[in-house]
Amino acid sequence: MLDLRLTACAELVRPGTKVCDVGTDHAYLPCYLVKNGITSQVIAADVNERPLASARKHITEQGLGSSIRTVLSDGLAQISEQEADDIVIAGMGGELICRIVLGCPWLRSAEKHLILQPMTQIPYLRETLCAQGYEILQEKPVFEKGHYYTVLLCRWCGRPNPADELFALIGKIPESNCPDRDGYLLYQAKRLEKIAAGYRRSASVKDMAEQYQRLAEQIRRFLPNG
Ligand SMILES: C[S@@+](CC[C@H](N)C(=O)[O-])C[C@H]1O[C@@H](n2cnc3c(N)ncnc32)[C@H](O)[C@@H]1O
């Protein structure tokens, strides 16, 4: 069974599209997509030989070799525009995801969907993509094994759209109807309140305390009793 984090990625894949899973590791996501009839054309790509070998092993064990092709590739460098419509990049840092997206010129097309699941630097990812002409269409927050994750569905719109501080922190999560929406927002508000409390103890950075407290209050307003 696929974990909730990768299931959320799979739910954003458009049925019947050609998919490329960048940084596939064991190819769990490609196997799930094919076994569940979501698509029959998947590229499982990875920059390292070892994960690619375990991807091949898993694909063969599942008998899915005719639908999933493995490719050794740094980001999308070895993948052509014709080979993928929906691109999944999951389980990596936000900065690396940005580098992979911005390094691929053919992603600058509204036809391509990017399904991104960053582990770190999420505000940086939202800010950078919006500044570079990508829009975030939707986000799916997920809670699993004590951690909150978010999956972003993005595409090229060609208009740089600066993200303000609040959007960088929570993106499209307030618009989500996922069960973990409120938990994610509450977790973020509490995190910012903790940072604000830390700054409050130091006389020289009172402004920072106010800034974080204000952002936490803005997030709490999206909650049912906010
Ligand atoms: C932590 S695993 C994530 C696996 C899976 N996508 C998931 O979310 O569970 C990260 C994988 O990304 C691969 N990777 C790291 N940098 C990459 C790059 N520049 N291009 C392609 N794959 C990369 C690593 O080799 C590793 O297999």
Side-chain angles (χ1 to χ4, degrees), residues 4-210:
L4 294 176
R5 181 180 62 81
L6 287 178
T7 302
C9 295
E11 285 168 355
L12 290 171
V13 168
R14 292 171 292 179
T17 52
K18 293 182 205 161
V19 177
C20 178
D21 181 32
V22 179
T24 197
D25 204 353
H26 299 280
Y28 291 143
L29 181 71
C31 290
Y32 177 89
L33 292 173
V34 175
K35 278 175 86 174
N36 286 277
I38 297 166
T39 181
S40 57
Q41 294 180 76
V42 189
I43 295 176
D46 208 290
V47 73
N48 292 307
E49 254 308 341
R50 196 180 284 198
L52 216 51
S54 64
R56 274 186 215 111
K57 185 167 177 278
H58 191 222
I59 295 163
T60 307
E61 281 167 1
Q62 303 278 315
L64 301 173
S66 59
S67 299
I68 307 171
R69 189 159 62 85
T70 57
V71 177
L72 187 69
S73 177
D74 181 359
L76 289 153
Q78 305 304 320
I79 318 296
S80 75
E81 184 171 0
Q82 293 73 28
E83 290 176 309
D85 307 307
D86 285 12
I87 292 90
V88 183
I89 314 177
M92 295 184 210
E95 207 176 332
L96 177 56
I97 293 178
C98 265
R99 181 173 75 70
I100 292 173
V101 171
L102 301 181
C104 177
W106 56 260
L107 290 182
R108 290 183 218 125
S109 152
E111 316 265 293
K112 306 292 179 190
H113 273 194
L114 305 176
I115 297 156
L116 311 176
Q117 189 278 301
M119 302 305 265
T120 57
Q121 299 155 309
I122 306 172
Y124 171 85
L125 178 70
R126 293 193 185 102
E127 275 172 359
T128 308
L129 291 180
C130 291
Q132 295 294 321
Y134 287 88
E135 61 182 333
I136 301 171
L137 301 174
Q138 194 192 137
E139 287 194 42
K140 267 180 176 282
V142 184
F143 183 73
E144 185 166 52
K145 292 186 190 145
H147 292 283
Y148 279 101
Y149 302 97
T150 183
V151 184
L152 291 76
L153 173 65
C154 306
R155 79 169 170 209
W156 173 251
C157 69
R159 285 183 312 279
N161 197 359
D164 63 23
E165 236 177 330
L166 185 65
F167 189 81
L169 282 166
I170 54 172
K172 290 267 181 171
I173 286 173
E175 293 169 32
S176 157
N177 54 12
C178 294
D180 292 320
R181 170 200 184 268
D182 291 356
Y184 189 104
L185 292 172
L186 190 59
Y187 166 77
Q188 288 298 338
K190 285 185 176 168
R191 192 180 65 83
L192 295 171
E193 282 157 2
K194 214 166 152 189
I195 298 172
Y199 278 127
R200 225 170 272 129
R201 277 184 231 114
S202 161
S204 61
V205 284
K206 286 270 186 289
D207 289 358
M208 296 294 280
E210 277 167 30

